[in-house]
Structure formats: structure tokens, C-alpha cells
Amino acid sequence: MGRSAWAVRLASLLALGLVLGSVEASLGDIDPRYRTCERECQTTGIIGENIISHFQSKDNDTSVGGSWYNQEEIYMQWKQLNCWTDCCYSCMMQREGERQSLGLSPVKYHGKWPFLRISVFQEPLSAALSAVNLFMHFIGWLSFFLLVNYKLPLRPQTKRSHYEYTSLWYIYAILSINAWFWSSIFHTRDIDLTEKLDYSSAVALLGYSLILSLLRTFNVKDEATRVMFAAPILAFVTTHILYLNFYELDYGWNMKVCVVMAVVQLLTWAIWAGVTQHPSRLKLWTVIFGGALAMLLELYDFPPYMGYADAHSLWHAITIPLTYLWWSFIKDDAEFRTSTLMKKAK
């Protein structure tokens, strides 16, 4: 139980730090020089001696009562070429250059560090690592699918897997792939739509992961009991997603909700790993502690190194090997449960 107690302390520190860290404001977007630059850019399309070439000239605006920078095509907006994002980026880079010349440290703008773009990618490293995480979940699901359907014995009557949690892990794989897909899109192109899809997908994955952790650790196999476990969490997660999308995208509240769900499932797995005799509990411990330490990067944040690698991108990098270990544990669990059930049947 020593490991479980250590996990409780680590999870408590994680929750406190992340909740407190969520209230920090961005200093860059309240900088008067930055705000003046952004306002002038959105009015004229000019930053100093530079002209944003793709902007529609104000003199050529044929709309009545419309802002000249709101007349661009949808595909132009998707390619990072709308006025607001380009003005924010250009003014941010200009202001950071001025700060660097004065020996000042980088600051956040609109909640984000000043990243260097590559083509249409706003945060190229985080976008790429999100795509790798997506791929790792797909490979994990594929190897799990092949294991339970073609390598392990099936039930003779139904030709289905003996492993009671097979379908639940299938759903988990779908939600994981979906979440990392929208994470990659969001880090590529930060607009209101991609932000809400990224946040909603992450909340859905966290909520379902919490349900799955409870069902597996309590060894819930009866369908009615599973519904009793899942219903309140599903209701809360659904309400929270609707709140974020149709009422208010409250970043602080969403952070607290995500932290609570993450910490509860972390503690659930940690306590179970401390009392179970599962043959692959070492892999589970590695994922628990690795995941907790990786999430602490969100607390001990730092500016992007060379304009690309910040704490958040490193968190994405650490989750890649952890995803491999996690799916390895899931496959081991399927083999362990199937072996146990086959022995009982004999």
C-alpha cells in the first residue's frame, strides 16, 4: 500500500497545482503596445512597414457596414489567412522581438506562448505529436483487435471473446483517436470551432476513461450494474460539453472538471494496482506515475524552446511511449482474464 499512498499524494499535488495554475492570466494580450499594434493591423492591414498581402483592401470593400477583414472565403480562414489571427501573430512576433532586445522573457498571448509557425501550422510540434499519439492508439487498438479475435480462444457458442471488456476498449479506442485527431487539428489551426471540438473530445475521453477505470477495477460485468456506474458520469459529462459549446467556454471551470476526472481515475488505478496480483501491474504502475509526472508539465510551464517545444508539447511527447505501454497492459489484461476464465471453465 506504500505505492498507493505515494500515488495519492502525487495526485493531490497534481490537482492543486493544475487548478491554481488555471487562474493565471495572459500578460501579452494586455500589453498596451501589443493591443495598439493589433488594433491598427485590423484597421489597416499594415504592421509597421509590412503589409499583410492577402488582406482585402479597405478601399475595395463592397459590403455595406461590414468590416473589411470579415469578407474572406472560408478556405482562406482555414489556411491561417484571416485578419485576426495574422494580426495577432505578426504583432506578437514584433512585440516579442522588442522584448527580447530589452532582455525580457517571453510572455503568453491569449493563453498561449509565442510559437513560430510552419506553413499553416500554428503549433507545429504539438500538432505533429498529437498525430503520432493518434497513430499509436490506432496501432494499439489494431493489435488488441487481432489478439482477442484471432489469437485468444473464443466462446464456442457465440464466437465472441471471453474477455468481458472487449467492447468497452473498442469504444475507448474510438474516443482516443477522435480526441487526438481534434488535438492535432486544433494545434494546427486555432479557431473557435476547432477549440470547442478539441475541448469537447478531451472531456468525452476523460469521462469515458473514468467510467472504464471504475468498471474494470471493481470488476463490473453485469450490464445493469454497468449502467448504474456509467449513467451519472455520462449525464455530467454530456451537460458539461453542452455548457462549453452553447453557454460559455469557461477555461478555468473546464480545467477543474478535467483535473478532477483525471485524478479520480488515476487514484482508482493506483489503488487497484496496489492491491491486485495482476501479472502486468508493473506496466500499470509505469503508466500511472509516468502520466502523473507528464501532466505536471502543465503546472511547471515554460516558454517554447527555439519557438517550438514548450511544456505542453513535451507532455504530448511523453504520452507516446505511455500509450504503447497502456495498450500493452490492456492486451495483457485480456490474456490474463481469458486464461482465468478458461481455467474456471475446466
Side-chain angles (χ1 to χ4, degrees), residues 20-93:
L20 292 178
S22 68
V23 301
E24 182 182 358
S26 299
L27 298 177
D29 45 287
I30 60 175
D31 186 318
R33 293 176 66 87
Y34 169 79
R35 298 184 70 171
T36 299
C37 173
E38 182 188 13
R39 185 168 55 250
E40 292 178 352
C41 175
Q42 292 187 8
T43 303
T44 64
I46 300 175
I47 301 177
E49 298 180 354
N50 300 319
I51 300 176
I52 309 300
S53 60
H54 66 271
F55 283 165
Q56 180 182 356
S57 171
K58 190 173 183 180
D59 296 332
N60 295 331
D61 182 16
T62 58
S63 64
V64 178
S67 299
W68 60 273
Y69 54 83
N70 286 332
Q71 310 306 318
E72 296 178 300
E73 299 293 337
I74 293 177
Y75 80 94
M76 293 285 279
Q77 295 182 18
W78 179 254
K79 292 175 66 178
Q80 274 290 64
L81 300 181
N82 62 70
C83 171
W84 187 81
T85 53
D86 268 26
C87 283
C88 289
Y89 177 76
S90 299
C91 290
M92 176 180 68
M93 290 293 103

Side-chain angles (χ1 to χ4, degrees), residues 233-244:
I233 300 175
L234 285 176
F236 173 77
V237 168
T238 302
T239 303
H240 180 64
I241 291 175
L242 291 173
Y243 174 84
L244 294 178

Side-chain angles (χ1 to χ4, degrees), residues 266-287:
L266 174 69
L267 289 174
T268 301
W269 284 115
I271 294 171
W272 184 73
V275 300
T276 187
Q277 296 301 314
H278 198 287
S280 295
R281 58 188 178 277
L282 180 59
K283 291 181 181 179
L284 182 57
W285 275 117
T286 304
V287 173

